[in-house]
Amino acid sequence: MREYKMRRGEHLEDRVPDMKAFVEEYFGEVTDTEDYEGTDLLVVDDPDNPVFDRVVAGRVEYGSKKDKLALHIDERPAEDVIAEGNVDAAEDAVAIKNDFLEEATDRDAKARRDSLKRSVEDDADAPDNV
């Protein structure tokens, strides 16, 4: 499960007031919920795009800290998708994921990558707790 933070001064609940409708708009009908970090995330067991096998997404609440967007996508093997003739769906899958994340977080793919690099560097600089 990957968590995405918001831009400075932005709050997830302001950008996405109805998480269920938002997830359904991008991925398909929500069929279940799944616990993650004490929060119920939305599950799409049969996503609209044939590349996606299963999608888990939603708001992770951290009390005194800002909420984060959690997203996990199980994808089908590329060979299977291509063999079924769904090459266009593979291209669309990347756009769907990026559009979903950008609309929710107001951060494009480059900003998300840079943020991830910084968090990995920060973890590497932290002293070991031995």
Side-chain angles (χ1 to χ4, degrees):
M1 184 73 59
R2 184 168 286 167
E3 294 181 17
Y4 300 88
K5 61 185 180 179
M6 306 299 297
R7 290 178 62 120
R8 185 178 309 264
E10 297 272 342
H11 295 276
L12 184 56
E13 59 272 5
D14 294 338
R15 296 193 61 79
V16 183
D18 185 350
M19 184 60 71
K20 183 178 179 196
F22 184 66
V23 169
E24 287 181 338
E25 175 184 339
Y26 281 92
F27 300 111
E29 182 181 352
V30 171
T31 54
D32 201 0
T33 60
E34 183 175 291
D35 181 67
Y36 173 76
E37 303 279 329
T39 303
D40 282 337
L41 298 181
L42 304 169
V43 177
V44 179
D45 284 315
D46 186 22
D48 293 340
N49 187 304
V51 173
F52 302 140
D53 192 38
R54 184 172 186 261
V55 177
V56 180
R59 177 180 292 116
V60 181
E61 299 174 9
Y62 284 104
S64 62
K65 293 171 35 177
K66 284 173 45 172
D67 295 349
K68 291 185 179 181
L69 177 69
L71 178 64
H72 177 78
I73 299 175
D74 292 327
E75 294 185 7
R76 296 180 51 230
E79 306 83 43
D80 294 352
V81 174
I82 292 168
E84 293 173 359
N86 290 321
V87 176
D88 291 341
E91 294 172 5
D92 290 343
V94 173
I96 290 167
K97 179 181 173 185
N98 281 330
D99 291 349
F100 174 82
L101 291 169
E102 186 170 356
E103 187 172 339
T105 65
D106 197 26
R107 302 174 84 179
D108 63 13
K110 182 181 183 319
R112 292 191 307 270
R113 273 192 308 277
D114 291 345
S115 178
L116 183 61
K117 285 180 191 174
R118 282 192 303 276
S119 70
V120 169
E121 289 169 358
D122 291 345
D123 289 345
D125 293 339
D128 292 337
N129 294 330
V130 179

